[in-house]
Amino acid sequence: MFCATTVFDPSVGSHSLATRPIPLQRQGVPDVIVDELSIITGAAAEYVESGRISGKVLLHRMILKSIKERLRRGDDAAIKELARLRRLCSERGIPIEIVEDETASDPYEALAALALKRGASVLTADPFAQKV
């Protein structure tokens, strides 16, 4: 399965496509913020598994709330992929940090603000977010 995934580094304003395996820590961006679709599609876990993420994985609380809501509706795909991501990070010694920033109500704005604040990249599988 191919998933068009983009990593955006706000400090340099550039995108790296998933088809180019670039270790993010070597780019000078040790922390990576994962969005909901990168979790659901398995892209975040694939990045960890392949060694393209070696810094800290940042997970916004807003994403966790959305995954919890999906589970309430009977959709367990996101929670299964989150568990897989957590297991892979644990096996590789990659910390996952849950972060919260209540200043933005929109998920895209929240992740972008967090990326700027923390100097992190955003890993997304969302076609809309890739164009922003």
Side-chain angles (χ1 to χ4, degrees):
M1 176 180 112
F2 175 76
C3 176
T5 307
T6 300
V7 177
F8 178 71
D9 180 353
S11 66
V12 294
S14 66
H15 294 275
S16 300
L17 295 179
T19 54
R20 294 177 34 214
I22 302 169
L24 296 178
Q25 194 168 39
R26 292 190 195 130
Q27 291 180 356
V29 184
D31 296 343
V32 177
I33 302 164
V34 294
D35 78 348
E36 188 171 2
L37 273 178
S38 73
I39 293 170
I40 293 168
T41 62
E46 289 172 16
Y47 263 64
V48 170
E49 191 170 40
S50 68
R52 289 183 269 179
I53 296 177
S54 55
K56 194 182 299 181
V57 172
L58 303 175
L59 182 59
H60 199 286
R61 190 167 303 279
M62 190 179 289
I63 302 299
L64 286 178
K65 287 179 185 177
S66 180
I67 289 173
K68 186 177 179 180
E69 185 57 37
R70 284 176 176 271
L71 188 59
R72 278 194 197 125
R73 292 189 310 250
D75 180 358
D76 65 348
I79 199 74
K80 285 179 181 179
E81 281 299 324
L82 181 59
R84 178 175 167 234
L85 174 63
R86 184 172 176 243
R87 179 184 51 80
L88 289 168
C89 284
S90 176
E91 289 172 0
R92 287 158 177 76
I94 297 172
I96 296 179
E97 181 182 336
I98 298 171
V99 292
E100 190 163 6
D101 181 8
E102 295 299 326
T103 59
S105 59
D106 177 73
Y108 299 111
E109 289 178 18
L111 297 183
L114 181 61
L116 290 172
K117 181 179 176 180
R118 299 285 295 258
S121 293
V122 177
L123 177 64
T124 184
D126 186 323
F128 173 76
Q130 291 175 10
K131 293 177 183 178
V132 174

